[in-house]
Amino acid sequence: MVRPARLSPEEVARRLPTVPGWEVVGDSLRRELVFKDFQRAFAFMTNVALAAEKADHHPNWSNVYKRVAIEWTTHDAGGLTELDFELAAAVNALLGP
Amino acid sequence: MVRPARLSPEEVARRLPTVPGWEVVGDSLRRELVFKDFQRAFAFMTNVALAAEKADHHPNWSNVYKRVAIEWTTHDAGGLTELDFELAAAVNALLGP
Amino acid sequence: MVRPARLSPEEVARRLPTVPGWEVVGDSLRRELVFKDFQRAFAFMTNVALAAEKADHHPNWSNVYKRVAIEWTTHDAGGLTELDFELAAAVNALLGP
Amino acid sequence: MVRPARLSPEEVARRLPTVPGWEVVGDSLRRELVFKDFQRAFAFMTNVALAAEKADHHPNWSNVYKRVAIEWTTHDAGGLTELDFELAAAVNALLGP
Protein backbone atom coordinates (compact mmCIF):
# COMPACT_ATOMS: atom_id res chain seq x y z
CA MET A 1 0.00 0.00 0.00
CA VAL A 2 1.43 3.38 -0.95
CA ARG A 3 1.53 5.68 2.02
CA PRO A 4 0.48 9.27 1.44
CA ALA A 5 2.95 12.13 1.71
CA ARG A 6 3.12 14.61 4.55
CA LEU A 7 0.73 17.50 4.13
CA SER A 8 2.01 21.06 4.10
CA PRO A 9 0.84 23.38 6.89
CA GLU A 10 -1.44 25.08 4.35
CA GLU A 11 -3.02 21.76 3.38
CA VAL A 12 -3.49 20.85 7.03
CA ALA A 13 -5.15 24.20 7.73
CA ARG A 14 -7.43 23.74 4.74
CA ARG A 15 -8.52 20.23 5.79
CA LEU A 16 -8.97 20.93 9.50
CA PRO A 17 -12.52 22.36 9.18
CA THR A 18 -13.61 19.06 7.57
CA VAL A 19 -13.06 17.24 10.88
CA PRO A 20 -14.94 19.20 13.56
CA GLY A 21 -13.74 18.60 17.09
CA TRP A 22 -10.15 17.85 16.12
CA GLU A 23 -7.20 20.15 16.74
CA VAL A 24 -3.60 20.06 15.58
CA VAL A 25 -1.22 19.38 18.46
CA GLY A 26 2.39 19.13 17.37
CA ASP A 27 2.45 16.70 14.46
CA SER A 28 -0.85 15.09 15.41
CA LEU A 29 -4.59 15.50 15.07
CA ARG A 30 -6.09 15.27 18.56
CA ARG A 31 -9.61 14.91 19.91
CA GLU A 32 -10.82 14.28 23.43
CA LEU A 33 -14.13 12.57 24.03
CA VAL A 34 -16.31 11.98 27.07
CA PHE A 35 -18.84 9.15 27.14
CA LYS A 36 -21.58 8.22 29.58
CA ASP A 37 -19.46 5.56 31.27
CA PHE A 38 -16.50 3.20 30.83
CA GLN A 39 -18.61 0.63 29.02
CA ARG A 40 -19.51 3.04 26.25
CA ALA A 41 -16.00 4.52 26.11
CA PHE A 42 -14.42 1.12 25.59
CA ALA A 43 -17.04 -0.03 23.08
CA PHE A 44 -16.23 3.12 21.11
CA MET A 45 -12.54 2.23 21.32
CA THR A 46 -13.33 -1.21 19.89
CA ASN A 47 -15.14 0.47 17.02
CA VAL A 48 -12.10 2.65 16.31
CA ALA A 49 -9.71 -0.29 16.79
CA LEU A 50 -11.46 -2.25 14.04
CA ALA A 51 -11.38 0.74 11.68
CA ALA A 52 -7.71 1.31 12.49
CA GLU A 53 -6.76 -2.31 11.92
CA LYS A 54 -8.58 -2.37 8.60
CA ALA A 55 -6.80 0.81 7.47
CA ASP A 56 -3.50 -0.41 8.95
CA HIS A 57 -3.23 2.98 10.61
CA HIS A 58 -3.33 3.04 14.39
CA PRO A 59 -3.93 5.79 16.91
CA ASN A 60 -1.91 6.98 19.85
CA TRP A 61 -4.65 7.00 22.45
CA SER A 62 -5.42 6.90 26.14
CA ASN A 63 -8.42 6.21 28.33
CA VAL A 64 -9.41 6.96 31.90
CA TYR A 65 -12.88 5.76 32.85
CA LYS A 66 -15.28 7.56 30.49
CA ARG A 67 -12.68 9.75 28.82
CA VAL A 68 -10.79 8.90 25.63
CA ALA A 69 -8.07 11.00 23.99
CA ILE A 70 -7.12 10.06 20.42
CA GLU A 71 -4.21 11.27 18.35
CA TRP A 72 -3.46 10.44 14.73
CA THR A 73 -0.17 11.02 13.01
CA THR A 74 1.73 9.22 10.26
CA HIS A 75 5.08 8.22 11.70
CA ASP A 76 6.45 7.10 8.33
CA ALA A 77 5.74 10.49 6.83
CA GLY A 78 6.96 12.46 9.83
CA GLY A 79 3.68 14.30 10.28
CA LEU A 80 0.07 14.56 9.17
CA THR A 81 -1.15 12.93 5.98
CA GLU A 82 -4.48 12.37 4.31
CA LEU A 83 -4.71 9.08 6.16
CA ASP A 84 -4.91 10.91 9.49
CA PHE A 85 -7.76 13.05 8.24
CA GLU A 86 -9.55 9.98 6.92
CA LEU A 87 -9.36 8.23 10.28
CA ALA A 88 -10.37 11.40 12.14
CA ALA A 89 -13.39 11.64 9.84
CA ALA A 90 -14.16 7.95 10.46
CA VAL A 91 -14.14 8.59 14.22
CA ASN A 92 -16.50 11.54 13.76
CA ALA A 93 -18.82 9.36 11.67
CA LEU A 94 -19.05 6.91 14.60
CA LEU A 95 -20.10 9.66 16.96
CA GLY A 96 -23.14 10.55 14.91
CA PRO A 97 -24.54 13.95 14.01
CA MET B 1 -25.80 -12.32 44.75
CA VAL B 2 -29.37 -13.56 45.05
CA ARG B 3 -30.69 -14.72 41.70
CA PRO B 4 -34.25 -13.78 40.86
CA ALA B 5 -36.97 -16.38 40.52
CA ARG B 6 -38.49 -17.53 37.26
CA LEU B 7 -41.31 -15.31 36.08
CA SER B 8 -44.76 -16.76 35.44
CA PRO B 9 -46.09 -16.61 31.86
CA GLU B 10 -48.40 -13.80 32.97
CA GLU B 11 -45.49 -11.80 34.37
CA VAL B 12 -43.50 -12.36 31.18
CA ALA B 13 -46.43 -11.20 29.07
CA ARG B 14 -46.84 -8.12 31.23
CA ARG B 15 -43.15 -7.18 30.99
CA LEU B 16 -42.68 -7.87 27.28
CA PRO B 17 -44.04 -4.50 26.07
CA THR B 18 -41.37 -2.76 28.18
CA VAL B 19 -38.63 -4.14 25.89
CA PRO B 20 -39.66 -3.27 22.32
CA GLY B 21 -38.04 -5.42 19.65
CA TRP B 22 -37.73 -8.51 21.84
CA GLU B 23 -39.81 -11.64 21.48
CA VAL B 24 -40.18 -14.72 23.64
CA VAL B 25 -38.72 -17.80 21.93
CA GLY B 26 -38.94 -20.91 24.07
CA ASP B 27 -37.49 -19.95 27.45
CA SER B 28 -35.56 -16.97 26.08
CA LEU B 29 -35.95 -13.33 25.14
CA ARG B 30 -34.64 -12.91 21.60
CA ARG B 31 -33.78 -9.94 19.42
CA GLU B 32 -32.09 -9.79 16.05
CA LEU B 33 -30.20 -6.69 15.01
CA VAL B 34 -28.66 -5.49 11.78
CA PHE B 35 -25.87 -2.92 11.79
CA LYS B 36 -24.17 -0.95 9.03
CA ASP B 37 -21.20 -3.30 8.93
CA PHE B 38 -19.17 -5.84 10.92
CA GLN B 39 -17.22 -3.12 12.68
CA ARG B 40 -20.32 -1.59 14.21
CA ALA B 41 -21.86 -5.00 14.94
CA PHE B 42 -18.83 -6.12 16.91
CA ALA B 43 -18.41 -2.81 18.73
CA PHE B 44 -22.03 -3.21 19.82
CA MET B 45 -21.23 -6.73 21.02
CA THR B 46 -18.36 -5.32 23.09
CA ASN B 47 -20.77 -2.86 24.64
CA VAL B 48 -23.14 -5.70 25.56
CA ALA B 49 -20.25 -7.93 26.72
CA LEU B 50 -19.18 -5.31 29.25
CA ALA B 51 -22.75 -4.90 30.54
CA ALA B 52 -23.15 -8.67 30.74
CA GLU B 53 -19.89 -9.17 32.62
CA LYS B 54 -20.78 -6.44 35.10
CA ALA B 55 -24.20 -8.02 35.72
CA ASP B 56 -22.68 -11.53 35.73
CA HIS B 57 -25.42 -12.51 33.31
CA HIS B 58 -24.32 -13.52 29.82
CA PRO B 59 -26.18 -13.88 26.54
CA ASN B 60 -26.48 -16.75 24.14
CA TRP B 61 -25.63 -14.89 20.95
CA SER B 62 -24.41 -15.23 17.41
CA ASN B 63 -23.01 -12.98 14.72
CA VAL B 64 -22.62 -13.14 10.97
CA TYR B 65 -21.08 -10.04 9.43
CA LYS B 66 -23.45 -7.16 10.30
CA ARG B 67 -26.12 -9.30 11.95
CA VAL B 68 -26.32 -10.11 15.66
CA ALA B 69 -28.89 -12.36 17.34
CA ILE B 70 -29.11 -12.16 21.14
CA GLU B 71 -30.96 -14.39 23.54
CA TRP B 72 -31.27 -13.98 27.28
CA THR B 73 -32.44 -16.65 29.67
CA THR B 74 -31.59 -17.54 33.26
CA HIS B 75 -30.31 -21.09 33.26
CA ASP B 76 -30.30 -21.34 37.06
CA ALA B 77 -33.97 -20.44 37.21
CA GLY B 78 -34.96 -22.61 34.25
CA GLY B 79 -36.50 -19.73 32.30
CA LEU B 80 -36.96 -15.98 32.17
CA THR B 81 -36.34 -13.78 35.18
CA GLU B 82 -36.20 -10.06 35.88
CA LEU B 83 -32.50 -10.18 35.08
CA ASP B 84 -33.24 -11.09 31.45
CA PHE B 85 -35.59 -8.14 31.11
CA GLU B 86 -33.00 -5.85 32.68
CA LEU B 87 -30.35 -6.90 30.21
CA ALA B 88 -32.77 -6.70 27.28
CA ALA B 89 -33.61 -3.16 28.38
CA ALA B 90 -29.88 -2.37 28.68
CA VAL B 91 -29.38 -3.53 25.09
CA ASN B 92 -32.24 -1.35 23.92
CA ALA B 93 -30.75 1.62 25.76
CA LEU B 94 -27.52 1.14 23.77
CA LEU B 95 -29.41 1.26 20.49
CA GLY B 96 -30.78 4.71 21.19
CA PRO B 97 -34.24 6.07 20.53
CA MET C 1 -9.15 -7.91 -3.96
CA VAL C 2 -9.44 -11.14 -5.95
CA ARG C 3 -11.37 -13.76 -4.04
CA PRO C 4 -10.05 -17.31 -4.15
CA ALA C 5 -11.96 -20.08 -5.90
CA ARG C 6 -13.86 -22.85 -4.17
CA LEU C 7 -11.64 -25.78 -3.23
CA SER C 8 -12.45 -29.26 -4.48
CA PRO C 9 -13.30 -31.93 -1.88
CA GLU C 10 -9.85 -33.42 -2.48
CA GLU C 11 -8.15 -30.08 -1.82
CA VAL C 12 -10.21 -29.59 1.34
CA ALA C 13 -9.27 -33.07 2.56
CA ARG C 14 -5.62 -32.37 1.84
CA ARG C 15 -5.62 -29.06 3.73
CA LEU C 16 -7.66 -30.17 6.75
CA PRO C 17 -4.71 -31.71 8.66
CA THR C 18 -2.96 -28.30 8.52
CA VAL C 19 -5.60 -26.83 10.86
CA PRO C 20 -5.84 -29.15 13.87
CA GLY C 21 -9.08 -28.90 15.82
CA TRP C 22 -11.21 -27.92 12.81
CA GLU C 23 -13.74 -30.14 11.12
CA VAL C 24 -15.72 -29.75 7.91
CA VAL C 25 -19.43 -29.30 8.61
CA GLY C 26 -21.47 -28.81 5.45
CA ASP C 27 -19.71 -26.07 3.50
CA SER C 28 -17.88 -24.69 6.54
CA LEU C 29 -14.82 -25.21 8.68
CA ARG C 30 -15.96 -25.43 12.30
CA ARG C 31 -14.20 -25.37 15.65
CA GLU C 32 -15.61 -25.19 19.16
CA LEU C 33 -13.55 -23.70 21.95
CA VAL C 34 -13.91 -23.55 25.71
CA PHE C 35 -12.16 -20.86 27.73
CA LYS C 36 -11.71 -20.31 31.44
CA ASP C 37 -14.52 -17.77 31.62
CA PHE C 38 -16.57 -15.27 29.62
CA GLN C 39 -13.89 -12.61 29.93
CA ARG C 40 -11.31 -14.72 28.17
CA ALA C 41 -13.82 -16.03 25.63
CA PHE C 42 -14.81 -12.53 24.58
CA ALA C 43 -11.23 -11.22 24.52
CA PHE C 44 -10.44 -14.09 22.18
CA MET C 45 -13.40 -13.09 20.02
CA THR C 46 -12.01 -9.54 19.85
CA ASN C 47 -8.71 -10.96 18.69
CA VAL C 48 -10.47 -12.91 15.94
CA ALA C 49 -12.70 -9.95 15.06
CA LEU C 50 -9.66 -7.78 14.36
CA ALA C 51 -8.06 -10.48 12.20
CA ALA C 52 -11.35 -10.98 10.35
CA GLU C 53 -11.85 -7.29 9.72
CA LYS C 54 -8.30 -6.93 8.41
CA ALA C 55 -8.78 -9.90 6.05
CA ASP C 56 -12.30 -8.70 5.15
CA HIS C 57 -13.46 -12.24 5.84
CA HIS C 58 -15.84 -12.73 8.74
CA PRO C 59 -16.92 -15.77 10.72
CA ASN C 60 -20.31 -17.19 11.46
CA TRP C 61 -19.94 -17.60 15.20
CA SER C 62 -21.76 -17.95 18.47
CA ASN C 63 -20.93 -17.64 22.15
CA VAL C 64 -22.47 -18.82 25.40
CA TYR C 65 -20.51 -17.86 28.51
CA LYS C 66 -17.09 -19.49 28.11
CA ARG C 67 -17.88 -21.38 24.91
CA VAL C 68 -17.27 -20.09 21.37
CA ALA C 69 -18.18 -21.89 18.14
CA ILE C 70 -16.61 -20.53 14.95
CA GLU C 71 -17.42 -21.38 11.36
CA TRP C 72 -15.66 -20.10 8.25
CA THR C 73 -17.02 -20.36 4.74
CA THR C 74 -16.73 -18.19 1.65
CA HIS C 75 -20.26 -17.22 0.64
CA ASP C 76 -19.15 -15.69 -2.66
CA ALA C 77 -17.47 -18.92 -3.69
CA GLY C 78 -20.28 -21.15 -2.44
CA GLY C 79 -18.02 -23.19 -0.18
CA LEU C 80 -14.56 -23.44 1.32
CA THR C 81 -11.61 -21.52 -0.11
CA GLU C 82 -8.01 -20.90 0.87
CA LEU C 83 -9.20 -17.86 2.79
CA ASP C 84 -11.13 -20.06 5.21
CA PHE C 85 -8.07 -22.16 5.90
CA GLU C 86 -5.98 -19.03 6.41
CA LEU C 87 -8.38 -17.68 8.99
CA ALA C 88 -8.70 -21.07 10.70
CA ALA C 89 -4.90 -21.17 10.92
CA ALA C 90 -4.88 -17.62 12.29
CA VAL C 91 -7.32 -18.67 15.03
CA ASN C 92 -5.11 -21.63 15.90
CA ALA C 93 -2.09 -19.33 16.10
CA LEU C 94 -3.91 -17.24 18.70
CA LEU C 95 -4.55 -20.28 20.86
CA GLY C 96 -0.89 -21.06 21.22
CA PRO C 97 0.90 -24.38 21.06
CA MET D 1 -19.23 -1.80 47.84
CA VAL D 2 -16.80 -0.71 50.55
CA ARG D 3 -13.66 0.73 49.02
CA PRO D 4 -10.37 -0.26 50.62
CA ALA D 5 -8.21 2.26 52.43
CA ARG D 6 -4.98 3.73 51.12
CA LEU D 7 -1.98 1.54 51.82
CA SER D 8 0.99 2.91 53.74
CA PRO D 9 4.34 3.14 51.92
CA GLU D 10 5.48 0.12 53.96
CA GLU D 11 2.47 -1.91 52.88
CA VAL D 12 3.02 -0.92 49.25
CA ALA D 13 6.66 -1.96 49.43
CA ARG D 14 5.70 -5.26 51.00
CA ARG D 15 3.11 -6.05 48.31
CA LEU D 16 5.13 -4.92 45.29
CA PRO D 17 7.08 -8.20 44.90
CA THR D 18 3.76 -10.04 44.54
CA VAL D 19 3.13 -8.32 41.19
CA PRO D 20 6.26 -8.83 39.08
CA GLY D 21 6.68 -6.33 36.27
CA TRP D 22 4.88 -3.49 38.04
CA GLU D 23 6.56 -0.43 39.47
CA VAL D 24 5.31 2.39 41.67
CA VAL D 25 5.19 5.69 39.78
CA GLY D 26 3.82 8.53 41.87
CA ASP D 27 0.56 7.25 43.37
CA SER D 28 0.12 4.52 40.74
CA LEU D 29 1.19 0.99 39.90
CA ARG D 30 2.51 1.04 36.33
CA ARG D 31 3.42 -1.64 33.81
CA GLU D 32 4.35 -1.36 30.17
CA LEU D 33 3.72 -4.24 27.81
CA VAL D 34 4.71 -5.02 24.24
CA PHE D 35 2.69 -7.47 22.15
CA LYS D 36 3.28 -9.03 18.75
CA ASP D 37 1.00 -6.57 16.99
CA PHE D 38 -1.94 -4.19 17.45
CA GLN D 39 -4.45 -7.00 17.19
CA ARG D 40 -3.04 -8.81 20.18
CA ALA D 41 -2.49 -5.58 22.13
CA PHE D 42 -6.10 -4.55 21.74
CA ALA D 43 -7.48 -8.03 22.47
CA PHE D 44 -5.47 -7.91 25.70
CA MET D 45 -7.01 -4.51 26.46
CA THR D 46 -10.46 -6.01 25.99
CA ASN D 47 -9.55 -8.73 28.46
CA VAL D 48 -8.48 -6.11 31.00
CA ALA D 49 -11.50 -3.92 30.24
CA LEU D 50 -13.87 -6.76 31.15
CA ALA D 51 -11.98 -7.45 34.39
CA ALA D 52 -11.97 -3.75 35.21
CA GLU D 53 -15.68 -3.33 34.56
CA LYS D 54 -16.51 -6.34 36.71
CA ALA D 55 -14.38 -4.98 39.57
CA ASP D 56 -15.69 -1.45 38.97
CA HIS D 57 -12.07 -0.31 39.05
CA HIS D 58 -10.67 1.13 35.84
CA PRO D 59 -7.14 1.76 34.63
CA ASN D 60 -5.47 4.87 33.33
CA TRP D 61 -3.96 3.44 30.17
CA SER D 62 -2.59 4.23 26.76
CA ASN D 63 -1.80 2.34 23.59
CA VAL D 64 0.34 2.93 20.53
CA TYR D 65 0.32 0.07 18.02
CA LYS D 66 1.66 -2.96 19.91
CA ARG D 67 2.51 -1.14 23.13
CA VAL D 68 0.20 -0.76 26.13
CA ALA D 69 0.97 1.18 29.32
CA ILE D 70 -1.34 0.55 32.28
CA GLU D 71 -1.60 2.43 35.54
CA TRP D 72 -3.78 1.58 38.51
CA THR D 73 -4.58 3.92 41.35
CA THR D 74 -7.59 4.44 43.61
CA HIS D 75 -8.71 8.02 43.16
CA ASP D 76 -11.21 7.85 46.02
CA ALA D 77 -8.49 6.78 48.43
CA GLY D 78 -5.90 9.24 47.11
CA GLY D 79 -3.36 6.54 46.33
CA LEU D 80 -2.75 2.82 46.12
CA THR D 81 -5.08 0.30 47.73
CA GLU D 82 -5.48 -3.46 47.75
CA LEU D 83 -7.76 -3.11 44.76
CA ASP D 84 -4.88 -1.83 42.62
CA PHE D 85 -2.74 -4.81 43.56
CA GLU D 86 -5.63 -7.17 42.80
CA LEU D 87 -6.08 -5.74 39.33
CA ALA D 88 -2.33 -5.71 38.69
CA ALA D 89 -2.27 -9.39 39.66
CA ALA D 90 -5.25 -10.05 37.37
CA VAL D 91 -3.35 -8.47 34.48
CA ASN D 92 -0.33 -10.62 35.24
CA ALA D 93 -2.54 -13.73 35.29
CA LEU D 94 -3.70 -12.89 31.75
CA LEU D 95 -0.14 -12.71 30.52
CA GLY D 96 0.61 -16.28 31.52
CA PRO D 97 3.70 -17.72 33.16
Side-chain angles (χ1 to χ4, degrees):
Chain A
M1 200 183 321
V2 177
R3 288 300 182 174
R6 183 175 182 172
L7 297 170
S8 70
E10 292 73 24
E11 288 166 323
V12 168
R14 186 172 60 76
R15 276 175 174 79
L16 197 56
T18 67
V19 285
W22 294 81
E23 57 180 336
V24 177
V25 176
D27 281 331
S28 298
L29 278 180
R30 179 181 175 88
R31 182 165 183 181
E32 298 182 14
L33 297 159
V34 184
F35 294 88
K36 188 185 170 192
D37 51 26
F38 175 78
Q39 176 191 314
R40 284 163 176 82
F42 193 78
F44 165 80
M45 290 177 73
T46 301
N47 224 325
V48 175
L50 288 160
E53 187 70 350
K54 190 164 198 173
D56 198 15
H57 192 56
H58 302 87
N60 179 343
W61 55 355
S62 62
N63 160 244
V64 187
Y65 195 51
K66 62 182 180 180
R67 295 172 186 280
V68 179
I70 311 180
E71 292 187 1
W72 299 102
T73 191
T74 306
H75 297 287
D76 295 349
L80 289 170
T81 67
E82 277 186 27
L83 206 47
D84 299 306
F85 282 92
E86 284 172 20
L87 271 295
V91 168
N92 282 9
L94 292 177
L95 297 170
Chain B
M1 203 182 320
V2 177
R3 290 299 182 173
R6 185 176 181 173
L7 297 170
S8 69
E10 292 73 26
E11 287 166 325
V12 168
R14 187 171 61 76
R15 277 175 173 79
L16 197 56
T18 66
V19 285
W22 295 81
E23 57 180 336
V24 177
V25 177
D27 281 333
S28 298
L29 277 180
R30 179 180 175 88
R31 182 165 184 181
E32 298 183 15
L33 297 160
V34 184
F35 294 87
K36 187 184 171 193
D37 51 25
F38 176 77
Q39 177 191 313
R40 284 163 176 81
F42 194 78
F44 165 79
M45 290 177 73
T46 302
N47 225 324
V48 175
L50 288 160
E53 187 71 351
K54 191 165 197 172
D56 198 14
H57 191 57
H58 302 88
N60 178 344
W61 55 355
S62 62
N63 160 245
V64 187
Y65 195 51
K66 63 183 179 181
R67 296 173 186 280
V68 179
I70 312 181
E71 292 187 2
W72 298 103
T73 192
T74 306
H75 297 287
D76 295 351
L80 290 170
T81 66
E82 277 187 26
L83 207 47
D84 300 305
F85 281 92
E86 284 172 19
L87 271 295
V91 168
N92 281 10
L94 291 175
L95 297 169
Chain C
M1 204 182 321
V2 177
R3 288 299 181 177
R6 183 176 182 173
L7 297 171
S8 70
E10 292 74 24
E11 288 167 322
V12 168
R14 187 171 61 76
R15 277 176 174 81
L16 197 56
T18 67
V19 285
W22 295 80
E23 57 180 338
V24 178
V25 176
D27 282 332
S28 299
L29 279 180
R30 178 180 176 89
R31 183 165 183 181
E32 298 181 14
L33 297 160
V34 183
F35 294 87
K36 189 184 169 194
D37 51 25
F38 175 77
Q39 177 191 313
R40 284 161 176 84
F42 194 78
F44 165 79
M45 290 177 72
T46 302
N47 225 325
V48 176
L50 288 160
E53 186 70 351
K54 190 165 198 172
D56 198 14
H57 192 55
H58 302 87
N60 178 343
W61 55 356
S62 62
N63 160 245
V64 188
Y65 194 51
K66 63 184 178 178
R67 296 173 186 280
V68 179
I70 311 181
E71 292 187 1
W72 298 103
T73 193
T74 306
H75 297 288
D76 296 350
L80 289 170
T81 66
E82 278 187 25
L83 206 47
D84 300 305
F85 282 91
E86 284 172 20
L87 272 295
V91 167
N92 282 9
L94 292 176
L95 298 170
Chain D
M1 202 181 326
V2 177
R3 290 298 182 176
R6 184 176 183 172
L7 297 170
S8 70
E10 292 73 25
E11 288 167 323
V12 168
R14 187 171 61 75
R15 278 176 174 79
L16 197 56
T18 67
V19 286
W22 294 81
E23 57 181 336
V24 177
V25 177
D27 281 332
S28 299
L29 278 180
R30 178 180 176 88
R31 183 165 183 181
E32 298 182 14
L33 297 159
V34 183
F35 294 87
K36 188 184 171 194
D37 50 25
F38 175 77
Q39 178 190 313
R40 283 162 176 83
F42 193 77
F44 164 80
M45 290 177 73
T46 302
N47 225 324
V48 176
L50 287 160
E53 186 70 350
K54 192 166 197 172
D56 198 14
H57 192 56
H58 302 87
N60 178 344
W61 54 355
S62 61
N63 160 245
V64 187
Y65 195 50
K66 62 182 179 181
R67 295 173 187 281
V68 179
I70 311 181
E71 292 187 2
W72 299 102
T73 192
T74 305
H75 297 288
D76 295 351
L80 290 170
T81 66
E82 277 187 26
L83 207 47
D84 300 305
F85 281 91
E86 284 172 20
L87 272 294
V91 167
N92 282 10
L94 292 176
L95 297 170

